[in-house]
Amino acid sequence: ETMINQIAAGEVIERPASVVKELVENALDAGANRVEVVTAGGGLNLIRVTDDGSGIAEQELALAIARHCTSKLTENIHDIRSLGFRGEALPSIGSVSRLSIRSRTATGDSAAEIGIEGGRVSAVRPAAANRGTTVEVRDLFFATPARLKFMKGERAESSATSDVVKRIAIAFPAVRFTLAGSDRSTLELPATDDTPEGRLRRVAQVMGADFPDNSIAIDAMREGVHLTGHVSIPSFTRANALQQYAYVNGRPVRDKLIAGAIRGAFADVLPRDRHAMTVLFLTLDPAIVDVNVHPAKADVRFRDPGLVRGLIVGSVRQALADAGI
Ligand code: ADP
Ligand code: MG
């Protein structure tokens, strides 16, 4: 069983940032309004995610770390509203690290805690905590030393973690996010709200206060696919830091087709070595997109890639032209 979990971990948990992604998604699935991330040693020594969400009842704690136990399955696989649904993340992480979960529900009169170390589960014990959940991951990959060798160093891992939090935070403007642990990657993103203005304020928190004034709004629709968001004007780009955020039905994605379409849209107005800063939200019928190609869930597969590419290239070019660029 530990072996199976370690194999699953190899698929889903590549580096500290993957742990942070899974834990933050769990916090959001639990309805958190505040998500706090603390790391040490680039996340290899410590990752701690604290939320004020629904919490886990004492008698469910052991289930939360059991393989394929999820509280989130719905009948329609295309209609997955929550971010997680495979019940793989916690057992996978617990098989390669020292993991502890401390949690308290709204109705529970005290908190409880469970631990798992390299796959070995401890008994549930009482603990002290406010409502919500704290998941602590220490010594990531201590149980799989071969994996440790692939880590890129503290700064690179910290900045990957910061990138993950930023990516998710743009999709959840009403949630407050903090990230602490290394100077380079500290974040404090106060809650805004889930309106166009609130979403743009969150984008400005992440991409810089000067981004909105140096960007163009996109709002286009083609055959039921809706594209909204902002792209930077060509004169406002930052060298090397690739700041392109894309969302499909509210989920962060990292997709070659979308990145290629952005490149195509800017091909005539940007030198090859510069990249536009973009935040794009695609909304479409969940039946014509598969967002679950890989367990890490960053890839997407569109039923009609040409439609999506054409929409992005066409509407971004049009918006640039309308702005006289
Ligand atoms: P999944 O998210 O795919 O269901 P996970 O392994 O990430 O699988 O989590 C297993 C289960 O543990 C979840 O279905 C949920 O019931 C519970 N859980 C995990 N993290 C939290 C959290 N922060 N708050 C409340 N429940 C949680
Ligand atoms: Mg999950």
Side-chain angles (χ1 to χ4, degrees):
E1 183 74 4
T2 295
M3 193 72 166
I4 293 171
N5 284 326
Q6 286 181 349
I7 292 166
E11 283 272 299
V12 186
I13 308 301
E14 283 178 8
R15 59 196 301 191
S18 344
V19 173
V20 171
K21 172 180 181 288
E22 295 295 336
L23 300 185
V24 169
E25 288 183 347
N26 281 347
L28 294 167
D29 284 344
N33 295 308
R34 289 197 316 269
V35 180
E36 234 171 73
V37 183
V38 175
T39 70
L44 289 168
N45 299 339
L46 170 73
I47 295 166
R48 186 193 302 125
V49 176
T50 303
D51 70 59
D52 63 349
S54 61
I56 307 171
E58 182 171 351
Q59 64 276 15
E60 314 263 296
L61 270 178
L63 280 178
I65 53 172
R67 192 168 165 70
H68 294 312
C69 269
T70 175
S71 54
K72 303 170 192 171
L73 271 182
T74 57
E75 291 100 75
N76 184 352
I77 190 92
H78 292 302
D79 185 35
I80 298 156
R81 254 162 258 273
S82 54
L83 296 162
F85 67 97
R86 288 169 196 262
E88 270 188 355
L90 292 181
S92 298
I93 298 164
S95 73
V96 296
S97 70
R98 303 180 219 279
L99 173 113
S100 75
I101 308 173
R102 192 164 64 237
S103 196
R104 179 172 180 172
T105 62
T107 52
D109 34 48
S110 66
E113 184 172 341
I114 195 169
I116 168 170
E117 279 200 24
R120 233 193 280 230
V121 180
S122 74
V124 175
R125 52 194 177 269
N130 295 326
R131 187 197 139 167
T133 303
T134 297
V135 179
E136 218 173 77
V137 176
R138 288 184 184 274
D139 305 328
L140 182 64
F141 301 131
F142 88 93
T144 50
R147 176 64 69 161
L148 258 186
K149 294 202 187 97
F150 286 95
M151 295 306 116
K152 287 192 180 126
E154 198 172 321
R155 292 185 96 193
E157 297 307 331
S158 292
S159 88
T161 287
S162 167
D163 187 57
V164 159
V165 176
K166 287 177 183 173
R167 233 164 246 287
I168 297 176
I170 286 176
F172 292 84
V175 176
R176 174 190 167 81
F177 292 87
T178 56
L179 169 64
S182 86
D183 297 342
R184 247 167 64 88
S185 61
T186 295
L187 290 175
E188 189 169 339
L189 309 174
T192 67
D193 52 68
D194 210 346
T195 61
E197 300 73 37
R199 284 194 287 275
L200 189 57
R201 281 204 302 280
R202 171 53 57 85
V203 165
Q205 291 170 357
V206 169
M207 300 180 74
D210 48 355
F211 175 76
D213 285 343
N214 288 289
S215 68
I216 305 169
I218 307 290
D219 188 344
M221 181 89 151
R222 196 181 281 186
E223 292 174 46
V225 182
H226 193 187
L227 177 71
T228 61
H230 283 77
V231 301
S232 60
I233 56 175
S235 59
F236 186 79
T237 61
R238 286 174 194 150
N240 51 55
L242 188 60
Q243 289 203 65
Q244 297 187 338
Y245 299 97
Y247 302 83
V248 173
N249 292 339
R251 268 168 194 263
V253 298
R254 212 190 276 269
D255 187 70
K256 285 205 181 71
L257 179 132
I258 296 172
I262 294 167
R263 220 178 304 114
F266 280 89
D268 295 338
V269 294
L270 266 186
R272 284 190 80 93
D273 59 338
R274 308 287 291 187
H275 299 278
M277 293 167 66
T278 58
V279 185
L280 294 175
F281 301 93
L282 279 164
T283 312
L284 66 170
D285 181 350
I288 61 167
V289 61
D290 183 2
V291 290
N292 304 303
V293 181
H294 182 269
K297 292 173 291 194
D299 285 327
V300 277
R301 198 167 291 148
F302 298 103
R303 173 146 338 146
D304 186 348
L307 170 64
V308 174
R309 188 186 155 86
L311 173 63
I312 295 172
V313 175
S315 59
V316 170
R317 280 198 181 146
Q318 187 61 52
L320 289 167
D322 290 348
I325 294 157

